[in-house]
Each structure stands twice: as C-alpha cells, then as structure tokens.
C-alpha cells in the first residue's frame, strides 16, 4: 500500500524534472517568452489534472483505472512547477531564496 501511495508523487517528481528542462528550452530557443511559458505550464498543470479528476468520477468500480487516473492527476500537476514555483525568480531574483523558503515553510 505504501508503494502504491508513493507512485503518484514519484511521477510528479519525474514530470517536474522534464517540464523544468522543457520550459527552459522553450525560453532559451525563443519559442515562447517567459510570461507565455509560465502561463502555458501553469495552465497545463491545472487543466490536465482537472480532466483526470473528472475521469475518476466515471471509471465506476474499476480500481485499476481509478488508480491510474489519480496517478496521472498528481503526476500532471507537476507541470505547474514550471509555471508557478519559479515566480520567485521572476519577481525578485535577488531575494528568491528567502521568498521561496518563506513560501514553503
């Protein structure tokens, strides 16, 4: 049970690693501005998990599909890290460490 409970958060960690690099690449290559990159990843990190929550409501008693949808929900919420968690760097780069520490604790 503990391993099964950890899988969604492990997926979220993997998604955060991938989307952080993807967001940096989109900005570095000039495909999207910083503002639009943040908006894109924050939107994806909000809407895709919402769709997964709706799917959970329709899977009925199929526990495998429910666990898969919840895993995708939590995992895809990691997309928002590339859009929201880095705002401290955009707003106040000199004090971002202090701001982030205060925000998380």
């Amino acid at each position: 049970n503990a391993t099964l409970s950890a899988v969604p958060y492990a997926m979220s960690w993997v998604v955060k690693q991938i989307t952080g690099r993807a967001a940096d690449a989109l900005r570095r290559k000039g495909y999207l501005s910083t503002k639009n990159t943040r908006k894109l990843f924050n939107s994806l990190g909000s809407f895709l998990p919402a769709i997964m929550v709706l799917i959970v409501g329709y899977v009925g008693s199929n526990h495998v599909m429910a666990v898969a949808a919840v895993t995708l929900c939590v995992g895809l919420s990691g997309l928002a890290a590339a859009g929201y968690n880095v705002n401290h760097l955009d707003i106040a780069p000199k004090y971002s460490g202090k701001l982030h520490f205060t925000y998380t604790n």
Side-chain angles (χ1 to χ4, degrees), residues 12-13 15-16 19 45 49 73-83:
S12 178
W13 180 81
V15 168
K16 287 177 183 180
T19 58
C73 176
V74 174
L76 291 173
S77 68
L79 288 164

Side-chain angles (χ1 to χ4, degrees), residues 18-19 34 37 46 59 62 69 74 78 95-96:
I18 294 168
T19 58
T34 299
T37 302
S46 297
V59 295
N62 187 345
V74 174
Y95 302 104
S96 63

